[in-house]
Amino acid sequence: MARSYLAETRRKKVAPKKDRIGVVISRLAAQHADAKIALSFESPLELLVSVMLSAQTTDVNVNRVTEKLFVKYRKPEDYLAVPVAELERDIFQTGFYRQKAKSLRGTMQRLLAEHDGEVPEDFDALLKLPGVARKTANVVSAERGEAQGIVVDTHVRRLSQRLGFTRQEDPVKIERDLVRLVSRDDWARFPHLLIWHGRRICDARKPRCEECPLAADLCPSSRI
Ligand code: SF4
C-alpha cells in the first residue's frame, strides 16, 4: 500500500479547495512554465509505446531505450516481425520486459486487426488494447489534445493529498475528485504541473516548503 499524505493536511488552515484550485494552477504554471511530458516521441504510435514502457521505470530510462527502438520499430508490423525474444532484448532495460513485450505485441496485433494500424483516438478503444490501463490511456489522450480524464501517478497522488484536493487513497477515486475540481481545459496540464512540482520542490520525504509558492496561503500541509 502506498504511503498516505492525508494526515499532513492538518498543519495549516486554508480556504476551501474550490476557492484555491485556480490560484494553485496559475502559481504552479508560473513556477514550472516548462512542465510537460518528459517522454520523447514523434507519432501517436511512439507515444503509446513510450507510455507502455514507462511503467515501473523512469522517463529518462525509457527515452534511452526508445532512441534506438524507434529506429528499428517504425510501424505495428515491425513489433510482430521479430521473434519475441528479440523484442524482449530490445526493451530489457525498461524492466518487466517479458510482460511489456507481451503487451506490446498484443497491442500491435489489435491495432492492425481493428484500427488499420493506427492508434485509436477513442478512449474506450485505447482501454481495450492489451496492457493499456487507465493511466496510459489518459496520458495518450491528453498528449493528443483530447484529455478524457486526469493522469494520477505517484506525484499527482501525493500532491493532491497534501493540497487537500482529495481524501482518497485509490488513484481511480482520486481522479474522480480531481475531474470534479479542475476545469476541463486544464485536465492535460494539471498533472504535469503537479509532477514537476513534486520532482523539484514537494519531495515525498522532505518537501521544501520554504521554496514553495503555495506554502504561505494555499497548502494545508505547509510546514511554514
Ligand atoms: S512543498 Fe508546497 S505543496 Fe508541498 S507540502 Fe510544502 S507547501 Fe505544500
PDB file of all heavy atoms in Angstrom, residues 23-57:
ATOM      1  N   VAL A  23      -5.966  29.450  -8.322  1.00  0.00           N
ATOM      2  CA  VAL A  23      -4.719  30.147  -7.947  1.00  0.00           C
ATOM      3  C   VAL A  23      -3.560  29.156  -7.878  1.00  0.00           C
ATOM      4  O   VAL A  23      -2.436  29.473  -8.266  1.00  0.00           O
ATOM      5  CB  VAL A  23      -4.848  30.829  -6.557  1.00  0.00           C
ATOM      6  CG1 VAL A  23      -3.842  31.959  -6.428  1.00  0.00           C
ATOM      7  CG2 VAL A  23      -6.245  31.308  -6.307  1.00  0.00           C
ATOM      8  N   VAL A  24      -3.854  27.949  -7.369  1.00  0.00           N
ATOM      9  CA  VAL A  24      -2.804  26.921  -7.305  1.00  0.00           C
ATOM     10  C   VAL A  24      -2.275  26.658  -8.721  1.00  0.00           C
ATOM     11  O   VAL A  24      -1.066  26.656  -8.959  1.00  0.00           O
ATOM     12  CB  VAL A  24      -3.342  25.608  -6.687  1.00  0.00           C
ATOM     13  CG1 VAL A  24      -2.381  24.446  -6.942  1.00  0.00           C
ATOM     14  CG2 VAL A  24      -3.579  25.777  -5.183  1.00  0.00           C
ATOM     15  N   ILE A  25      -3.187  26.477  -9.669  1.00  0.00           N
ATOM     16  CA  ILE A  25      -2.761  26.184 -11.049  1.00  0.00           C
ATOM     17  C   ILE A  25      -1.959  27.357 -11.614  1.00  0.00           C
ATOM     18  O   ILE A  25      -0.898  27.171 -12.205  1.00  0.00           O
ATOM     19  CB  ILE A  25      -3.984  25.856 -11.944  1.00  0.00           C
ATOM     20  CG1 ILE A  25      -4.545  24.487 -11.532  1.00  0.00           C
ATOM     21  CG2 ILE A  25      -3.605  25.844 -13.422  1.00  0.00           C
ATOM     22  CD1 ILE A  25      -5.825  24.074 -12.227  1.00  0.00           C
ATOM     23  N   SER A  26      -2.423  28.587 -11.408  1.00  0.00           N
ATOM     24  CA  SER A  26      -1.673  29.696 -12.017  1.00  0.00           C
ATOM     25  C   SER A  26      -0.317  29.892 -11.353  1.00  0.00           C
ATOM     26  O   SER A  26       0.671  30.174 -12.031  1.00  0.00           O
ATOM     27  CB  SER A  26      -2.489  30.985 -12.072  1.00  0.00           C
ATOM     28  OG  SER A  26      -2.935  31.308 -10.813  1.00  0.00           O
ATOM     29  N   ARG A  27      -0.219  29.666 -10.044  1.00  0.00           N
ATOM     30  CA  ARG A  27       1.106  29.805  -9.419  1.00  0.00           C
ATOM     31  C   ARG A  27       2.057  28.687  -9.853  1.00  0.00           C
ATOM     32  O   ARG A  27       3.240  28.915 -10.087  1.00  0.00           O
ATOM     33  CB  ARG A  27       0.979  29.807  -7.897  1.00  0.00           C
ATOM     34  CG  ARG A  27       0.524  31.159  -7.390  1.00  0.00           C
ATOM     35  CD  ARG A  27       0.784  31.320  -5.910  1.00  0.00           C
ATOM     36  NE  ARG A  27      -0.163  32.276  -5.350  1.00  0.00           N
ATOM     37  CZ  ARG A  27      -0.455  32.390  -4.067  1.00  0.00           C
ATOM     38  NH1 ARG A  27       0.139  31.582  -3.191  1.00  0.00           N
ATOM     39  NH2 ARG A  27      -1.309  33.285  -3.642  1.00  0.00           N
ATOM     40  N   LEU A  28       1.529  27.475  -9.965  1.00  0.00           N
ATOM     41  CA  LEU A  28       2.387  26.365 -10.415  1.00  0.00           C
ATOM     42  C   LEU A  28       2.805  26.568 -11.872  1.00  0.00           C
ATOM     43  O   LEU A  28       3.927  26.267 -12.260  1.00  0.00           O
ATOM     44  CB  LEU A  28       1.673  25.015 -10.247  1.00  0.00           C
ATOM     45  CG  LEU A  28       1.475  24.521  -8.813  1.00  0.00           C
ATOM     46  CD1 LEU A  28       0.768  23.171  -8.813  1.00  0.00           C
ATOM     47  CD2 LEU A  28       2.804  24.417  -8.063  1.00  0.00           C
ATOM     48  N   ALA A  29       1.879  27.104 -12.677  1.00  0.00           N
ATOM     49  CA  ALA A  29       2.207  27.339 -14.091  1.00  0.00           C
ATOM     50  C   ALA A  29       3.304  28.389 -14.218  1.00  0.00           C
ATOM     51  O   ALA A  29       4.178  28.301 -15.088  1.00  0.00           O
ATOM     52  CB  ALA A  29       0.958  27.770 -14.843  1.00  0.00           C
ATOM     53  N   ALA A  30       3.272  29.392 -13.333  1.00  0.00           N
ATOM     54  CA  ALA A  30       4.319  30.418 -13.359  1.00  0.00           C
ATOM     55  C   ALA A  30       5.652  29.824 -12.920  1.00  0.00           C
ATOM     56  O   ALA A  30       6.710  30.120 -13.480  1.00  0.00           O
ATOM     57  CB  ALA A  30       3.920  31.577 -12.451  1.00  0.00           C
ATOM     58  N   GLN A  31       5.602  28.957 -11.929  1.00  0.00           N
ATOM     59  CA  GLN A  31       6.829  28.348 -11.390  1.00  0.00           C
ATOM     60  C   GLN A  31       7.424  27.313 -12.353  1.00  0.00           C
ATOM     61  O   GLN A  31       8.632  27.183 -12.465  1.00  0.00           O
ATOM     62  CB  GLN A  31       6.481  27.644 -10.066  1.00  0.00           C
ATOM     63  CG  GLN A  31       7.640  26.898  -9.433  1.00  0.00           C
ATOM     64  CD  GLN A  31       8.274  27.702  -8.309  1.00  0.00           C
ATOM     65  OE1 GLN A  31       7.716  28.692  -7.870  1.00  0.00           O
ATOM     66  NE2 GLN A  31       9.431  27.282  -7.845  1.00  0.00           N
ATOM     67  N   HIS A  32       6.553  26.564 -13.033  1.00  0.00           N
ATOM     68  CA  HIS A  32       7.035  25.464 -13.890  1.00  0.00           C
ATOM     69  C   HIS A  32       6.520  25.670 -15.317  1.00  0.00           C
ATOM     70  O   HIS A  32       5.752  24.862 -15.838  1.00  0.00           O
ATOM     71  CB  HIS A  32       6.553  24.115 -13.359  1.00  0.00           C
ATOM     72  CG  HIS A  32       6.849  23.900 -11.906  1.00  0.00           C
ATOM     73  ND1 HIS A  32       8.128  23.678 -11.418  1.00  0.00           N
ATOM     74  CD2 HIS A  32       6.039  23.906 -10.820  1.00  0.00           C
ATOM     75  CE1 HIS A  32       8.082  23.542 -10.103  1.00  0.00           C
ATOM     76  NE2 HIS A  32       6.825  23.672  -9.705  1.00  0.00           N
ATOM     77  N   ALA A  33       6.948  26.756 -15.923  1.00  0.00           N
ATOM     78  CA  ALA A  33       6.481  27.081 -17.277  1.00  0.00           C
ATOM     79  C   ALA A  33       6.884  25.994 -18.275  1.00  0.00           C
ATOM     80  O   ALA A  33       6.272  25.844 -19.322  1.00  0.00           O
ATOM     81  CB  ALA A  33       7.038  28.424 -17.705  1.00  0.00           C
ATOM     82  N   ASP A  34       7.905  25.226 -17.936  1.00  0.00           N
ATOM     83  CA  ASP A  34       8.406  24.181 -18.846  1.00  0.00           C
ATOM     84  C   ASP A  34       7.778  22.812 -18.566  1.00  0.00           C
ATOM     85  O   ASP A  34       8.204  21.821 -19.145  1.00  0.00           O
ATOM     86  CB  ASP A  34       9.928  24.069 -18.707  1.00  0.00           C
ATOM     87  CG  ASP A  34      10.352  23.819 -17.255  1.00  0.00           C
ATOM     88  OD1 ASP A  34       9.526  24.020 -16.332  1.00  0.00           O
ATOM     89  OD2 ASP A  34      11.505  23.418 -17.047  1.00  0.00           O
ATOM     90  N   ALA A  35       6.787  22.762 -17.682  1.00  0.00           N
ATOM     91  CA  ALA A  35       6.213  21.453 -17.310  1.00  0.00           C
ATOM     92  C   ALA A  35       5.520  20.796 -18.495  1.00  0.00           C
ATOM     93  O   ALA A  35       4.564  21.344 -19.045  1.00  0.00           O
ATOM     94  CB  ALA A  35       5.221  21.635 -16.161  1.00  0.00           C
ATOM     95  N   LYS A  36       6.034  19.676 -18.905  1.00  0.00           N
ATOM     96  CA  LYS A  36       5.387  18.906 -19.986  1.00  0.00           C
ATOM     97  C   LYS A  36       5.851  17.462 -19.881  1.00  0.00           C
ATOM     98  O   LYS A  36       6.729  17.144 -19.071  1.00  0.00           O
ATOM     99  CB  LYS A  36       5.716  19.483 -21.357  1.00  0.00           C
ATOM    100  CG  LYS A  36       7.184  19.442 -21.730  1.00  0.00           C
ATOM    101  CD  LYS A  36       7.318  19.948 -23.150  1.00  0.00           C
ATOM    102  CE  LYS A  36       8.732  20.058 -23.649  1.00  0.00           C
ATOM    103  NZ  LYS A  36       9.576  18.894 -23.642  1.00  0.00           N
ATOM    104  N   ILE A  37       5.286  16.628 -20.719  1.00  0.00           N
ATOM    105  CA  ILE A  37       5.646  15.219 -20.678  1.00  0.00           C
ATOM    106  C   ILE A  37       7.151  15.074 -20.942  1.00  0.00           C
ATOM    107  O   ILE A  37       7.703  15.767 -21.798  1.00  0.00           O
ATOM    108  CB  ILE A  37       4.804  14.410 -21.695  1.00  0.00           C
ATOM    109  CG1 ILE A  37       4.975  12.910 -21.457  1.00  0.00           C
ATOM    110  CG2 ILE A  37       5.130  14.780 -23.139  1.00  0.00           C
ATOM    111  CD1 ILE A  37       3.916  12.063 -22.160  1.00  0.00           C
ATOM    112  N   ALA A  38       7.793  14.179 -20.185  1.00  0.00           N
ATOM    113  CA  ALA A  38       9.242  14.030 -20.319  1.00  0.00           C
ATOM    114  C   ALA A  38       9.626  12.926 -21.303  1.00  0.00           C
ATOM    115  O   ALA A  38      10.806  12.723 -21.575  1.00  0.00           O
ATOM    116  CB  ALA A  38       9.856  13.748 -18.940  1.00  0.00           C
ATOM    117  N   LEU A  39       8.637  12.202 -21.841  1.00  0.00           N
ATOM    118  CA  LEU A  39       8.938  11.134 -22.796  1.00  0.00           C
ATOM    119  C   LEU A  39       9.172  11.736 -24.189  1.00  0.00           C
ATOM    120  O   LEU A  39       8.529  12.718 -24.545  1.00  0.00           O
ATOM    121  CB  LEU A  39       7.765  10.142 -22.868  1.00  0.00           C
ATOM    122  CG  LEU A  39       7.480   9.352 -21.592  1.00  0.00           C
ATOM    123  CD1 LEU A  39       6.139   8.638 -21.699  1.00  0.00           C
ATOM    124  CD2 LEU A  39       8.602   8.347 -21.315  1.00  0.00           C
ATOM    125  N   SER A  40      10.077  11.121 -24.958  1.00  0.00           N
ATOM    126  CA  SER A  40      10.349  11.595 -26.320  1.00  0.00           C
ATOM    127  C   SER A  40       9.596  10.733 -27.331  1.00  0.00           C
ATOM    128  O   SER A  40       9.724   9.506 -27.301  1.00  0.00           O
ATOM    129  CB  SER A  40      11.840  11.496 -26.633  1.00  0.00           C
ATOM    130  OG  SER A  40      12.573  12.197 -25.676  1.00  0.00           O
ATOM    131  N   PHE A  41       8.846  11.366 -28.216  1.00  0.00           N
ATOM    132  CA  PHE A  41       8.086  10.617 -29.233  1.00  0.00           C
ATOM    133  C   PHE A  41       7.760  11.552 -30.391  1.00  0.00           C
ATOM    134  O   PHE A  41       7.746  12.780 -30.219  1.00  0.00           O
ATOM    135  CB  PHE A  41       6.791  10.065 -28.628  1.00  0.00           C
ATOM    136  CG  PHE A  41       5.895  11.125 -28.063  1.00  0.00           C
ATOM    137  CD1 PHE A  41       4.936  11.737 -28.844  1.00  0.00           C
ATOM    138  CD2 PHE A  41       6.037  11.541 -26.746  1.00  0.00           C
ATOM    139  CE1 PHE A  41       4.124  12.738 -28.326  1.00  0.00           C
ATOM    140  CE2 PHE A  41       5.228  12.548 -26.213  1.00  0.00           C
ATOM    141  CZ  PHE A  41       4.268  13.137 -27.012  1.00  0.00           C
ATOM    142  N   GLU A  42       7.508  10.954 -31.548  1.00  0.00           N
ATOM    143  CA  GLU A  42       7.196  11.780 -32.711  1.00  0.00           C
ATOM    144  C   GLU A  42       5.919  11.364 -33.426  1.00  0.00           C
ATOM    145  O   GLU A  42       5.603  11.907 -34.477  1.00  0.00           O
ATOM    146  CB  GLU A  42       8.375  11.751 -33.696  1.00  0.00           C
ATOM    147  CG  GLU A  42       9.529  12.574 -33.153  1.00  0.00           C
ATOM    148  CD  GLU A  42      10.718  12.612 -34.076  1.00  0.00           C
ATOM    149  OE1 GLU A  42      10.675  11.967 -35.134  1.00  0.00           O
ATOM    150  OE2 GLU A  42      11.685  13.287 -33.712  1.00  0.00           O
ATOM    151  N   SER A  43       5.227  10.385 -32.883  1.00  0.00           N
ATOM    152  CA  SER A  43       3.971   9.954 -33.510  1.00  0.00           C
ATOM    153  C   SER A  43       3.089   9.354 -32.424  1.00  0.00           C
ATOM    154  O   SER A  43       3.581   8.985 -31.343  1.00  0.00           O
ATOM    155  CB  SER A  43       4.264   8.891 -34.576  1.00  0.00           C
ATOM    156  OG  SER A  43       4.732   7.715 -33.933  1.00  0.00           O
ATOM    157  N   PRO A  44       1.779   9.207 -32.695  1.00  0.00           N
ATOM    158  CA  PRO A  44       0.911   8.571 -31.700  1.00  0.00           C
ATOM    159  C   PRO A  44       1.377   7.165 -31.327  1.00  0.00           C
ATOM    160  O   PRO A  44       1.293   6.769 -30.166  1.00  0.00           O
ATOM    161  CB  PRO A  44      -0.451   8.538 -32.404  1.00  0.00           C
ATOM    162  CG  PRO A  44      -0.412   9.679 -33.357  1.00  0.00           C
ATOM    163  CD  PRO A  44       1.013   9.748 -33.842  1.00  0.00           C
ATOM    164  N   LEU A  45       1.926   6.423 -32.308  1.00  0.00           N
ATOM    165  CA  LEU A  45       2.401   5.068 -32.001  1.00  0.00           C
ATOM    166  C   LEU A  45       3.596   5.130 -31.044  1.00  0.00           C
ATOM    167  O   LEU A  45       3.658   4.375 -30.065  1.00  0.00           O
ATOM    168  CB  LEU A  45       2.785   4.322 -33.286  1.00  0.00           C
ATOM    169  CG  LEU A  45       3.202   2.867 -33.064  1.00  0.00           C
ATOM    170  CD1 LEU A  45       2.028   2.023 -32.591  1.00  0.00           C
ATOM    171  CD2 LEU A  45       3.805   2.254 -34.333  1.00  0.00           C
ATOM    172  N   GLU A  46       4.523   6.032 -31.309  1.00  0.00           N
ATOM    173  CA  GLU A  46       5.687   6.168 -30.414  1.00  0.00           C
ATOM    174  C   GLU A  46       5.251   6.633 -29.019  1.00  0.00           C
ATOM    175  O   GLU A  46       5.794   6.192 -28.010  1.00  0.00           O
ATOM    176  CB  GLU A  46       6.697   7.149 -31.008  1.00  0.00           C
ATOM    177  CG  GLU A  46       7.411   6.608 -32.238  1.00  0.00           C
ATOM    178  CD  GLU A  46       8.524   7.503 -32.755  1.00  0.00           C
ATOM    179  OE1 GLU A  46       8.815   8.544 -32.132  1.00  0.00           O
ATOM    180  OE2 GLU A  46       9.099   7.156 -33.792  1.00  0.00           O
ATOM    181  N   LEU A  47       4.250   7.515 -28.990  1.00  0.00           N
ATOM    182  CA  LEU A  47       3.723   7.962 -27.694  1.00  0.00           C
ATOM    183  C   LEU A  47       3.152   6.778 -26.919  1.00  0.00           C
ATOM    184  O   LEU A  47       3.490   6.561 -25.745  1.00  0.00           O
ATOM    185  CB  LEU A  47       2.635   9.023 -27.933  1.00  0.00           C
ATOM    186  CG  LEU A  47       1.755   9.400 -26.746  1.00  0.00           C
ATOM    187  CD1 LEU A  47       2.575  10.011 -25.621  1.00  0.00           C
ATOM    188  CD2 LEU A  47       0.653  10.380 -27.180  1.00  0.00           C
ATOM    189  N   LEU A  48       2.326   5.985 -27.593  1.00  0.00           N
ATOM    190  CA  LEU A  48       1.699   4.838 -26.925  1.00  0.00           C
ATOM    191  C   LEU A  48       2.766   3.859 -26.411  1.00  0.00           C
ATOM    192  O   LEU A  48       2.712   3.425 -25.253  1.00  0.00           O
ATOM    193  CB  LEU A  48       0.751   4.134 -27.903  1.00  0.00           C
ATOM    194  CG  LEU A  48       0.085   2.853 -27.397  1.00  0.00           C
ATOM    195  CD1 LEU A  48      -0.822   3.135 -26.201  1.00  0.00           C
ATOM    196  CD2 LEU A  48      -0.728   2.179 -28.509  1.00  0.00           C
ATOM    197  N   VAL A  49       3.734   3.537 -27.247  1.00  0.00           N
ATOM    198  CA  VAL A  49       4.776   2.588 -26.840  1.00  0.00           C
ATOM    199  C   VAL A  49       5.582   3.158 -25.666  1.00  0.00           C
ATOM    200  O   VAL A  49       5.844   2.462 -24.683  1.00  0.00           O
ATOM    201  CB  VAL A  49       5.709   2.255 -28.038  1.00  0.00           C
ATOM    202  CG1 VAL A  49       6.918   1.443 -27.579  1.00  0.00           C
ATOM    203  CG2 VAL A  49       4.938   1.496 -29.111  1.00  0.00           C
ATOM    204  N   SER A  50       5.946   4.426 -25.743  1.00  0.00           N
ATOM    205  CA  SER A  50       6.724   5.041 -24.652  1.00  0.00           C
ATOM    206  C   SER A  50       5.976   4.961 -23.331  1.00  0.00           C
ATOM    207  O   SER A  50       6.557   4.636 -22.294  1.00  0.00           O
ATOM    208  CB  SER A  50       6.994   6.522 -24.939  1.00  0.00           C
ATOM    209  OG  SER A  50       7.817   6.660 -26.035  1.00  0.00           O
ATOM    210  N   VAL A  51       4.687   5.281 -23.368  1.00  0.00           N
ATOM    211  CA  VAL A  51       3.915   5.270 -22.123  1.00  0.00           C
ATOM    212  C   VAL A  51       3.795   3.837 -21.597  1.00  0.00           C
ATOM    213  O   VAL A  51       3.916   3.593 -20.390  1.00  0.00           O
ATOM    214  CB  VAL A  51       2.525   5.923 -22.301  1.00  0.00           C
ATOM    215  CG1 VAL A  51       1.784   5.948 -20.970  1.00  0.00           C
ATOM    216  CG2 VAL A  51       2.648   7.335 -22.827  1.00  0.00           C
ATOM    217  N   MET A  52       3.608   2.884 -22.510  1.00  0.00           N
ATOM    218  CA  MET A  52       3.518   1.478 -22.068  1.00  0.00           C
ATOM    219  C   MET A  52       4.840   1.025 -21.433  1.00  0.00           C
ATOM    220  O   MET A  52       4.846   0.282 -20.459  1.00  0.00           O
ATOM    221  CB  MET A  52       3.159   0.574 -23.250  1.00  0.00           C
ATOM    222  CG  MET A  52       1.713   0.753 -23.710  1.00  0.00           C
ATOM    223  SD  MET A  52       1.338  -0.180 -25.204  1.00  0.00           S
ATOM    224  CE  MET A  52       1.162  -1.841 -24.534  1.00  0.00           C
ATOM    225  N   LEU A  53       5.940   1.490 -21.986  1.00  0.00           N
ATOM    226  CA  LEU A  53       7.249   1.081 -21.440  1.00  0.00           C
ATOM    227  C   LEU A  53       7.581   1.804 -20.135  1.00  0.00           C
ATOM    228  O   LEU A  53       8.458   1.393 -19.389  1.00  0.00           O
ATOM    229  CB  LEU A  53       8.362   1.364 -22.468  1.00  0.00           C
ATOM    230  CG  LEU A  53       8.352   0.498 -23.731  1.00  0.00           C
ATOM    231  CD1 LEU A  53       9.472   0.934 -24.671  1.00  0.00           C
ATOM    232  CD2 LEU A  53       8.498  -0.983 -23.384  1.00  0.00           C
ATOM    233  N   SER A  54       6.889   2.912 -19.861  1.00  0.00           N
ATOM    234  CA  SER A  54       7.272   3.734 -18.709  1.00  0.00           C
ATOM    235  C   SER A  54       6.780   3.181 -17.365  1.00  0.00           C
ATOM    236  O   SER A  54       7.152   3.704 -16.311  1.00  0.00           O
ATOM    237  CB  SER A  54       6.774   5.172 -18.892  1.00  0.00           C
ATOM    238  OG  SER A  54       5.366   5.211 -18.752  1.00  0.00           O
ATOM    239  N   ALA A  55       5.977   2.117 -17.398  1.00  0.00           N
ATOM    240  CA  ALA A  55       5.504   1.539 -16.132  1.00  0.00           C
ATOM    241  C   ALA A  55       6.700   1.060 -15.302  1.00  0.00           C
ATOM    242  O   ALA A  55       7.583   0.381 -15.828  1.00  0.00           O
ATOM    243  CB  ALA A  55       4.566   0.369 -16.426  1.00  0.00           C
ATOM    244  N   GLN A  56       6.740   1.452 -14.058  1.00  0.00           N
ATOM    245  CA  GLN A  56       7.757   0.998 -13.094  1.00  0.00           C
ATOM    246  C   GLN A  56       9.182   1.400 -13.468  1.00  0.00           C
ATOM    247  O   GLN A  56      10.136   0.750 -13.055  1.00  0.00           O
ATOM    248  CB  GLN A  56       7.738  -0.528 -12.922  1.00  0.00           C
ATOM    249  CG  GLN A  56       6.380  -1.134 -12.717  1.00  0.00           C
ATOM    250  CD  GLN A  56       5.818  -0.830 -11.337  1.00  0.00           C
ATOM    251  OE1 GLN A  56       6.577  -0.634 -10.382  1.00  0.00           O
ATOM    252  NE2 GLN A  56       4.518  -0.760 -11.207  1.00  0.00           N
ATOM    253  N   THR A  57       9.336   2.449 -14.265  1.00  0.00           N
ATOM    254  CA  THR A  57      10.696   2.925 -14.527  1.00  0.00           C
ATOM    255  C   THR A  57      10.648   4.428 -14.788  1.00  0.00           C
ATOM    256  O   THR A  57       9.577   5.027 -14.792  1.00  0.00           O
ATOM    257  CB  THR A  57      11.338   2.170 -15.715  1.00  0.00           C
ATOM    258  OG1 THR A  57      12.720   2.534 -15.800  1.00  0.00           O
ATOM    259  CG2 THR A  57      10.669   2.482 -17.034  1.00  0.00           C
TER     260      THR A  57
END
